Amino acid sequence: MAGLNLSSVSDDDDDAEYEENPVLSAAAVAAASRSTLRPPSLQTLLEDLPDAAAIHRTSSSGGDSEGKSKSADKSSRSRRLKHDVIEAVNELIQDINTCHELIAEQAVEHIHQNEVILTLGSSRTVLEFLCAAKEKKRSFRVYVAEGAPRYQGHLLAKDLVSRGLQTTLITDSAVFAMISRVNMVIVGAHAVMANGGVIAPVGLNMVALAAQRHAVPFVVLAGSHKLCPLYPHNPEVLLNELRSPSELLDFGEFSDCMDFGNGTGSPLLHVVNPTFDYVPPKLVSLFITDTGGHNPSYMYRLIADYYSADDLVVQRRPVIGS
């Protein structure tokens, strides 16, 4: 974007002139023909930009008038590109702001009278989904696993009670003991992969396994902006992050176990505190997005509607010895 000569003038100044006298290059025609077969991408927008070096050569050989014409044409296309990019970003922001409401509108279709719902941790999407069912006069109970070690489930339980929902707070280790009383598991997601797998808060894979063992539907709520076009096996995908050990242990109490001066050169106690779990698609019963409910096997088609292959830049790891 650095070479586009974008200015702070209004984006709409040259729109009328551009629409009345469009200048279509061969690349633009090719991009337009391809857009009928695949979703639009940023790459197809950039294909129609004139090359700066070509403009410089034309202006030096063809005279100042032709050079000025090319510069004006480049400026007009740059303004048009800027307008399209800003419009796409604003549309994405609007989708993120409204996805919770669109997902919550489907709650009455999935939550029925006197059911027991299980969730883990804290999610705004799950909160709005459950509260929307309560507003439709659905009477049900919610089991909230606390989501150690951050205990985000405590916050969700407090919010549910303040909205008038019957709530029971349980420990994460009690999920298998309580799952037989549950009619449905409803959880949020950090990201949804192209194969239908879910990157979710740590502990949810255990909940999914418990739900599968007792034939309880496992439902994932996720907005369209959480769809990821990559697969878990892609080398650039990091499925987890490690958080500080201080969330698990008090360094003052366990400092002797973590002391490096024990003669071995390394501490005897290691603390691993992962942030996420990966839930494979075979454990997911249904995805509920702002566009409706979908099976895990359909997610790659849904992702293809939001991402173009031209916009996916996969950085390959360098081959050793090459």
Side-chain angles (χ1 to χ4, degrees):
M1 301 290 289
L4 299 181
N5 295 329
L6 303 181
S7 63
S8 59
V9 185
S10 173
D11 301 325
D12 298 326
D13 290 347
D14 294 331
D15 284 354
E17 179 183 354
Y18 180 86
E19 293 175 357
E20 292 175 0
N21 301 301
V23 180
L24 297 179
S25 63
V29 174
S33 63
R34 288 196 300 270
S35 65
T36 60
L37 302 177
R38 66 187 183 192
S41 68
L42 180 61
Q43 182 65 29
T44 56
L45 292 175
L46 296 176
E47 281 179 354
D48 195 33
L49 288 178
D51 181 63
I55 291 179
H56 177 72
R57 290 193 301 268
T58 304
S59 61
S60 60
S61 60
D64 295 338
S65 60
E66 187 176 356
K68 292 181 179 179
S69 176
K70 292 293 184 178
S71 299
D73 179 55
K74 178 176 181 292
S75 177
S76 176
R77 296 182 183 183
S78 300
R79 292 174 185 270
R80 185 64 176 179
L81 173 63
K82 178 182 177 183
H83 178 275
D84 292 341
V85 171
I86 292 177
E87 184 178 359
V89 171
N90 289 333
E91 182 179 352
L92 176 60
I93 294 175
Q94 181 68 18
D95 291 342
I96 295 175
N97 292 334
T98 60
C99 72
H100 306 289
E101 302 174 1
L102 296 176
I103 294 176
E105 291 176 356
Q106 308 171 56
V108 70
E109 303 174 7
H110 301 276
I111 299 179
H112 306 288
Q113 192 73 8
N114 299 324
E115 284 192 334
V116 178
I117 309 298
L118 173 66
T119 187
L120 181 142
S122 179
S123 169
R124 179 188 169 189
T125 308
V126 173
L127 173 64
E128 298 298 336
F129 190 83
L130 298 175
C131 292
K134 176 67 167 55
E135 294 173 357
K136 297 295 183 179
K137 307 303 180 182
R138 292 285 195 267
S139 177
F140 57 94
R141 174 173 289 277
V142 182
Y143 287 170
V144 181
E146 58 184 358
R150 301 179 64 194
Y151 302 105
Q152 295 294 311
H154 296 179
L155 303 177
L156 179 62
K158 182 178 179 180
D159 292 335
L160 291 174
V161 171
S162 64
R163 299 279 194 98
L165 279 80
Q166 303 179 42
T167 306
T168 301
L169 185 66
I170 64 174
T171 61
D172 298 341
S173 57
V175 167
F176 262 98
M178 305 297 292
I179 195 68
S180 59
R181 310 179 186 183
V182 173
N183 300 106
M184 182 184 301
V185 177
I186 300 178
V187 297
H190 179 73
V192 178
M193 309 301 291
N195 66 333
V198 181
I199 298 179
V202 65
L204 272 184
N205 189 54
M206 173 191 65
V207 177
L209 290 172
Q212 183 192 50
R213 180 68 178 83
H214 291 266
V216 176
F218 187 86
V219 180
V220 178
L221 310 181
S224 300
H225 62 281
K226 292 189 176 183
L227 301 180
C228 176
L230 300 178
Y231 289 85
H233 60 265
N234 290 136
E236 68 275 8
V237 174
L238 298 178
L239 294 180
N240 225 322
E241 298 176 0
L242 297 181
R243 298 182 62 86
S244 172
S246 62
E247 295 181 346
L248 299 178
L249 299 177
D250 183 3
F251 284 123
E253 182 179 357
F254 290 87
S255 59
D256 54 338
C257 302
M258 300 180 180
D259 188 10
F260 284 87
N262 52 22
T264 62
S266 63
L268 297 177
L269 178 63
H270 296 267
V271 180
V272 180
N273 183 17
T275 304
F276 303 113
D277 256 347
Y278 173 71
V279 181
K282 65 180 181 180
L283 299 181
V284 180
S285 305
L286 181 70
F287 285 98
I288 300 179
T289 70
D290 44 347
T291 60
H294 307 283
N295 291 326
S297 59
Y298 184 77
M299 296 310 294
Y300 81 98
R301 293 288 304 273
L302 190 63
I303 290 174
D305 293 337
Y306 285 89
Y307 290 92
S308 172
D310 293 336
D311 292 336
L312 301 182
V313 180
V314 179
Q315 296 182 354
R316 301 182 179 273
R317 294 180 177 179
V319 180
I320 299 178
S322 60

